[in-house]
């Protein structure tokens, strides 16, 4: 099978018209780059005049293993090894004759001679030297000539690089120490940079495995350090050109295509990967732990996961049924446990899905699968959070899963658990606790050992925590801090990375809220398209908010009713409550507060049932406003005392301002029946609350609400006889009124 594929491509390992069945079966062969490394090793062993200094030897020893493992390193790349790679022996070979290269390889054998040889045969360097000497001795004359020609080109390409040394001599002497430190830092970073990787020719098995394992590790731990999707795919295509049956290369191609959401190419690569596994496992038993059966059932399982990731749930269910059938025939309990977990993912919207999940967790514990058991607990906690279970029970369950994580060193699940706690506290409206959990995750170091220069926390949970952090700062009016967090997110997760959609949505939402607060509804409307592309439900809700702000009440009402029906089907309770509050606000603007009361009571019942404390407080705030409109400000004040504490403790700055503004309105309305001394006292207290509300609104640059506050203050100052303060507020109101559009909505109908 392999020879058929390879006959379609030019193969540089063709000898006398015979194609090798497996290119990677050859241990090593000589290349110009490896000759340069041999020169480096030879120079390090020299003594006397012109020998490598002790400091240089130390730096070269740190660089030695990456040099032996690296696919190819260009000459003149600015590293310490350039001093040796462009040394006299390689220059003599490149500018001399073929016999100089022959003599160099003859001299290499002397490294193993004598009672105390310079290199031990079984050391890493010794094995490399022996492989090179053996590979060179097996070359035919024509192959030796081609190698010598390639060496000359390699040397000439290094000579043609810009004369950086000449430029460096003209720099100030004060920068020499800084450049040396920078050079040492680069030497310690053993990750292969994109410009250093070139798989244009055939690689040895060790080189190919090193390249694939390195890129796979980078994709998992720090995607920004991995090759760009297009560059990585090009290198993988080169690898597969010389060996189409290299299964691991197909799997890395599958992971690479997932980065760019390419469903066709990722499916193609995944199927090729399992096809190659079946070919290589043909001699194993077909229904055991290896061989056809195992490859087939895990192929179907991975295909189901792939379809589920892209939202193709029907195809995913069919593939999952196939995996279950094969696993049952083979009595593979581990595969069945994985299938059970994915069965829950596909059916998690069903009312009885928690039974399936509990069964999955019990079975995973029984078969000693801590990773699956912990994932099941995490999913169970998430489901019960949406079902309205109390926070203390959820945190106890997460504590039990954390014990599993630390016991088995499951660092990835530790990060997921902390990110989950952050999301749960935000769902319940406890922003302080959410902030604490997010910062805990950011200050943690991963348990996994990664190479120098590779960020340890570049996973989805890390991105989720940073997004929560940005939104929490934006809610408190700290937009500069939120921008810094988003900037870091953009650097850590570039737009082509698989988790970039998280910060994209977060960024769009923050910009939308700022535009609405600033009264720039045309800008907010332009952001709706981007939000809808990332989250359709959130986008439709924001569109309704813009229509309502633009006084297009009927269009906003139609959109909200459609969204309400859709969210009720999805059981998205949080969004259902938000939509109900927006519908109630529409009724206020339409001067129909009595119709708003049943809507608000429905929202309050849902908030209490699902223990969404912050949304419950916001609903009570709206109920108090409805009572104010209906002419019972005393009852509205009583309700406010119930709702204002959670809002001031954990609420967004805008909601704090709205609450204090409403308190001032209720105080003024209640003071109408007071005696003159008590009335003056109540009005002065209202003025103080208005000042606090104005400070809150100023933090989020909400000019429309500041305009309403200063108008109300001017009226109160006029009643109190404070002319100077009244005139100051009146002047500020006029400035804001000229700057902002007015939709003619009465002040009493605006919360």
């Amino acid at each position: 099978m392999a020879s058929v594929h390879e006959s379609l491509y030019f193969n540089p390992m063709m000898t006398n018209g015979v194609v090798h069945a497996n290119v990677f079966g050859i241990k090593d062969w000589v290349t110009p780059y490896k000759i340069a490394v041999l020169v480096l090793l030879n120079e390090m062993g020299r003594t006397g005049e012109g020998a490598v200094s002790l400091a240089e030897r130390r730096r070269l020893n740190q660089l030695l293993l990456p040099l032996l493992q690296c696919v190819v390193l260009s000459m003149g790349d600015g590293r310490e090894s350039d001093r040796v790679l462009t040394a006299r022996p390689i220059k003599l070979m490149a500018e001399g004759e073929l016999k100089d290269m022959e003599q160099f390889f003859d001299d290499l054998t002397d490294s193993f001679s004598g009672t105390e040889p310079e290199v031990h045969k079984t050391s890493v360097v010794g094995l490399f030297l022996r492989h090179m000497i053996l590979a060179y001795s097996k070359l035919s004359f024509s192959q030796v000539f081609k190698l010598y020609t390639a060496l000359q080109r390699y040397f000439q390409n290094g000579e043609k690089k810009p004369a950086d040394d000449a430029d460096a001599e003209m720099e100030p002497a004060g920068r020499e120490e800084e450049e040396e430190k920078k050079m040492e830092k680069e030497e310690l970073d053993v990750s292969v940079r994109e410009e250093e990787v070139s798989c244009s020719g055939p690689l040895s098995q060790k080189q190919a495995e090193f390249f694939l394992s390195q890129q796979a590790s980078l994709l998992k731990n720090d995607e920004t350090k991995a090759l760009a999707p297009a560059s990585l795919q090009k290198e993988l295509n080169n690898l597969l050109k010389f060996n189409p049956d290299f299964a691991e290369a197909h799997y890395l191609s599958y992971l690479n295509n997932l980065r760019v959401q390419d469903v066709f190419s990722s499916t193609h690569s995944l199927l090729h990967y399992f096809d190659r596994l079946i070919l290589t496992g043909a001699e194993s038993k077909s229904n055991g732990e290896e061989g056809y059966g195992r490859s087939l059932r895990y192929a179907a399982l991975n295909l189901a996961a792939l379809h589920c990731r892209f939202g193709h749930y029907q195809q995913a269910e069919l593939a999952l049924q196939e995996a279950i059938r094969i696993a049952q025939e083979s009595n593979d309990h581990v595969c069945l446990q994985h299938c059970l977990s994915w069965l829950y993912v596909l059916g998690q919207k069903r009312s009885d899905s928690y039974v399936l999940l509990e069964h999955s967790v019990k079975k995973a514990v029984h078969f000693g699968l801590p990773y699956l058991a912990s994932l099941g607990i995490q999913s169970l906690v998430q489901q019960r959070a949406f079902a309205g279970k109390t926070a203390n029970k959820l945190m106890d369950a997460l504590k039990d899963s954390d014990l599993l994580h630390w016991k088995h060193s499951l660092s990835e699940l530790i990060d997921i658990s902390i990110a989950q706690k952050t999301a749960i506290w935000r769902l319940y409206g406890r922003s302080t606790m959410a902030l604490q959990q997010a910062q805990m995750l950011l200050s943690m170091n991963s348990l996994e050992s990664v190479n120098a220069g590779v960020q340890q926390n570049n996973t989805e949970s890390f991105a989720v925590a940073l997004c929560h952090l940005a939104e929490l700062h934006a809610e408190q009016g700290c937009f500069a801090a939120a921008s810094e967090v988003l900037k870091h997110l953009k650097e850590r997760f570039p737009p082509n990375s698989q988790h970039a959609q998280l910060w994209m949505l977060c960024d769009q939402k923050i910009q939308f809220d700022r535009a609405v607060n600033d009264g720039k509804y045309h800008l907010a409307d332009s952001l709706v398209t981007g939000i809808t592309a990332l989250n359709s439900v959130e986008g439709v809700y924001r569109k309704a908010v813009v229509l309502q702000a633009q006084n297009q009440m009927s269009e906003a009402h139609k959109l909200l009713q459609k969204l309400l029906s859709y969210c009720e089907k999805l059981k998205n309770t949080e969004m259902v409550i938000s939509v109900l509050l927006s519908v109630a606000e529409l009724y206020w603007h339409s001067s129909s507060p009595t119709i708003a009361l049943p809507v608000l009571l429905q929202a309050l019942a849902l908030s209490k049932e699902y223990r969404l404390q912050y949304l419950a407080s916001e609903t009570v705030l709206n109920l108090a406003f409805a009572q104010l409109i209906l002419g019972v400000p005393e009852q509205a004040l009583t309700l406010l005392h119930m709702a204002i504490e959670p809002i001031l403790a954990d609420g967004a700055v805008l909601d704090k301002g709205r609450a204090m503004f409403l308190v001032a309105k209720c105080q003024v309305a209640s003071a109408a029946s007071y005696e003159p001394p008590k009335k003056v006292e109540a009005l002065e207290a209202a003025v103080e609350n208005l000042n606090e509300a104005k400070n809150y609104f100023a933090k989020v640059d909400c000019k429309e609400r500041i305009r309403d506050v200063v108008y109300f203050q001017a009226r109160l100052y006029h009643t109190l006889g404070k002319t100077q303060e009244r005139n100051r507020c009146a002047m500020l109101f006029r400035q804001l009124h000229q700057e902002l559009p007015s939709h003619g909505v009465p002040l009493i109908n605006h919360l």
Side-chain angles (χ1 to χ4, degrees), residues 108-161:
L108 280 180
T109 55
D110 297 337
S111 304
F112 302 105
S113 60
T115 55
E116 294 184 0
E118 298 176 4
V119 180
H120 292 284
K121 292 183 178 182
T122 57
S123 66
V124 175
V125 174
L127 289 172
F128 177 72
L129 289 176
R130 289 164 62 193
H131 285 166
M132 290 299 100
I133 294 170
L134 182 62
Y136 183 79
S137 64
K138 289 184 177 181
L139 295 178
S140 64
F141 178 77
S142 60
Q143 289 174 328
V144 171
F145 181 75
K146 287 180 181 178
L147 175 63
Y148 181 68
T149 307
L151 177 64
Q152 289 179 317
R153 286 199 303 268
Y154 183 74
F155 180 75
Q156 290 167 3
N157 291 336
E159 291 287 304
K160 289 178 182 177
K161 287 186 177 288

Side-chain angles (χ1 to χ4, degrees), residues 603-671:
L604 182 61
L606 285 171
S607 303
K608 296 287 187 181
E609 180 184 354
Y610 289 92
R611 291 181 170 81
L612 305 177
Q613 179 182 333
Y614 186 72
L615 283 174
S617 300
E618 194 173 345
T619 307
V620 172
L621 191 69
N622 283 270
L623 278 169
F625 183 64
Q627 290 185 331
L628 174 64
I629 297 174
L630 292 172
V632 280
E634 294 83 3
Q635 293 184 17
L637 271 175
T638 305
L639 275 177
L640 277 173
H641 289 309
M642 295 169 51
I644 201 167
E645 183 179 344
I647 291 175
L648 294 179
D650 294 297
V653 169
L654 182 63
D655 292 334
K656 293 177 183 178
R658 291 169 62 216
M660 298 309 299
F661 193 13
L662 182 57
V663 169
K665 288 180 184 179
C666 293
Q667 287 174 331
V668 172
S670 301

Side-chain angles (χ1 to χ4, degrees), residues 59-78:
R59 288 195 288 267
L60 287 171
N61 284 334
Q62 292 173 341
L63 194 61
L64 191 57
L65 189 58
L67 283 174
L68 295 177
Q69 291 178 327
C70 188
V71 178
V72 65
L73 185 66
S74 303
M75 291 186 65
D77 71 339

Side-chain angles (χ1 to χ4, degrees), residues 125-345:
V125 174
L127 289 172
F128 177 72
L129 289 176
R130 289 164 62 193
H131 285 166
M132 290 299 100
I133 294 170
L134 182 62
Y136 183 79
S137 64
K138 289 184 177 181
L139 295 178
S140 64
F141 178 77
S142 60
Q143 289 174 328
V144 171
F145 181 75
K146 287 180 181 178
L147 175 63
Y148 181 68
T149 307
L151 177 64
Q152 289 179 317
R153 286 199 303 268
Y154 183 74
F155 180 75
Q156 290 167 3
N157 291 336
E159 291 287 304
K160 289 178 182 177
K161 287 186 177 288
D164 295 332
D165 294 338
D167 296 336
E169 291 176 0
M170 301 176 64
E171 293 180 356
R175 294 184 59 186
E176 290 181 1
E177 184 178 352
E178 180 183 350
E179 292 296 325
E180 184 177 352
K181 290 180 180 178
K182 181 179 178 182
M183 179 183 63
E184 290 182 3
K185 184 177 182 296
E186 288 179 353
E187 289 166 1
L188 292 174
D189 186 2
V190 299
S191 61
V192 181
R193 296 175 295 181
E194 185 167 335
E195 63 269 16
E196 294 172 356
V197 177
S198 175
C199 301
S200 56
L203 303 179
S204 68
Q205 186 168 357
K206 289 182 179 179
Q207 285 179 316
E209 289 174 353
F210 172 73
F211 173 75
L212 294 177
S213 63
Q214 185 183 56
Q215 292 299 312
S217 175
L218 290 173
L219 286 181
K220 179 183 177 183
N221 295 301
D222 192 356
E223 193 176 334
T224 56
K225 294 291 180 68
L227 293 179
S231 301
L232 180 56
Q233 195 59 45
K234 180 182 176 182
E235 304 303 337
L236 291 172
N237 290 340
N238 282 329
L239 280 175
L240 293 170
K241 180 172 67 175
F242 297 108
N243 187 1
D245 293 332
F246 195 14
E248 289 77 6
H250 285 290
Y251 193 78
L252 187 58
S253 176
Y254 157 70
L255 295 178
N256 189 46
N257 287 312
L258 279 182
R259 297 164 70 189
V260 293
Q261 305 294 311
D262 187 346
V263 59
F264 175 78
S265 299
S266 55
T267 307
H268 179 79
S269 297
L270 182 64
L271 294 176
H272 272 286
Y273 166 69
F274 282 103
D275 286 345
R276 269 58 187 182
L277 279 188
I278 292 171
L279 286 173
T280 55
E283 296 178 0
S284 301
K285 55 183 179 178
S286 61
N287 59 349
E289 291 301 313
E290 303 293 337
Y292 286 114
R294 188 173 189 273
S295 297
L296 285 173
R297 56 184 176 267
Y298 279 101
L301 179 61
N302 278 271
L303 192 61
L306 177 64
H307 283 305
C308 187
R309 181 183 183 123
F310 287 107
H312 308 153
Y313 298 115
Q314 189 174 1
Q315 294 92 325
E317 191 169 353
L318 291 173
L320 192 60
Q321 289 174 0
E322 179 70 10
I324 292 171
R325 184 185 63 78
I326 303 174
Q328 286 175 338
E329 290 176 356
S330 306
N331 200 26
D332 188 344
H333 296 289
V334 176
C335 184
L336 284 172
Q337 276 308 113
H338 285 279
C339 292
L340 191 59
S341 300
W342 279 105
L343 203 60
Y344 160 73
V345 173

